[in-house]
Amino acid sequence: MVLNYIWVAFFVIAFVIAVVKLLVFGDTTVFPAIMDSTFSSAKTAFEISLGLTGVLSLWLGIMKIGERGGMVQALSRALSPVFTKLFPDIPKGDPAVGNIFMNIAANMLGLDNAATPLGLKAMARLQELNPRKDTATNPMIMFLVLNTSGLTIVPVSIMVYRAQMGAAQPTDVFIPILLATSVATLVGIIITALFQHINLLNRTLLLTLGGAILFFTLVIWGFSSLDKAAMNTVGTSVANILLLTIITAFIITGVVKKVNVYDAFIEGAKGGFETAVRIIPYLVAILVGIGVFRAAGAMDALTDAIAWVTRECGLPTDWINALPTALMKPLSGSGSRGMMVDCMTTYGADSFAGRLACLFQGSTDTTFYILAVYFGSVGVKYTRHAVVCGLAADLAGTIAAIAICYMFFG
């Protein structure tokens, strides 16, 4: 229901702005620009879905081998003590736990192409446990908030963009991004837990959180000792080695368990095409709404309004130049990426705004895109508190990114 109101708001706001531009300022280009945006956004949505088909087929096939060979169930049992606290409505040892872990691990390593199909697989299993098929369950919402908070250990793509834009030290944003995205994830978990009356002050979750903090500390320490070339190489290599190891382990385990891995893969892969087709309408809806909102100039107007309020309050305004990246990130990953590159091009890769745009890009994920794709893939219409919790995590990541950027580069 919240997505419905937001989607309608995109069009209403865009139409009002377009009418004002035409009647008051005589801008005859605004309506053609908006209509062009609707067609191009619809085309982009279809191309994204088409591009996902192969990757979905691959990973759903691999996951089917993992299920038949018992790997997913083994992961579920190993993670059960933690996940039963964070996802109390999922039955102990359910395969959904293993699917969720695989998705989160892929996101943390920046493996976007692998993370999406794994996440869709997890949502499909959670929907099987859902007594009300059109309404999001608590585990679904907690899972999606973990996705939208965008926890990433190694933001390789951002560091590559910085290198291409001529940054003196492309890796200098690594630690700030890790800190900002960790804040976003933590806030997302806390807010969602409050909505769902989950007690986070228990021994298991506290130990897990402490272990995660120790792990991130070791990662920061290890990468801080590397130069920029070594960091990019190590980050990419670790991600890809782990990915191939997972695929090989699933296949070998299936063979040991006397599973016909080829037939299992084909059975799972068949669902890839069906899922890709099923999400097309949802992608078209959300991307067209975003495109219209942006083409009308609403995003620029929002940025200008925030800048005016900031100046009137006597606060620093040098972060405003990077704000379009933060405002676009919940709406569109490619759009925010374009904003980030534009910011580095305009102000310099090593400028405060250029670095902050990178922190915005790396601190959270595309909330509305994720909600549309994941909920759309299983036919959920009523998202309950998912949008609120996801946007709260985005806001926390954005504020943290600004504060951390001033701390490191201000």
Side-chain angles (χ1 to χ4, degrees), residues 321-341:
N321 294 327
L323 190 58
T325 304
L327 295 177
M328 182 58 65
K329 189 59 191 286
L331 305 175
S332 167
S334 59
S336 64
R337 193 179 303 114
M339 294 289 189
M340 176 188 70
V341 172

Side-chain angles (χ1 to χ4, degrees), residues 258-279:
K258 297 181 180 180
V259 173
N260 188 326
V261 294
Y262 182 79
D263 287 348
F265 178 87
I266 296 300
E267 181 184 344
K270 288 179 181 178
F273 178 77
E274 297 171 1
T275 302
V277 171
R278 194 159 57 244
I279 67 176

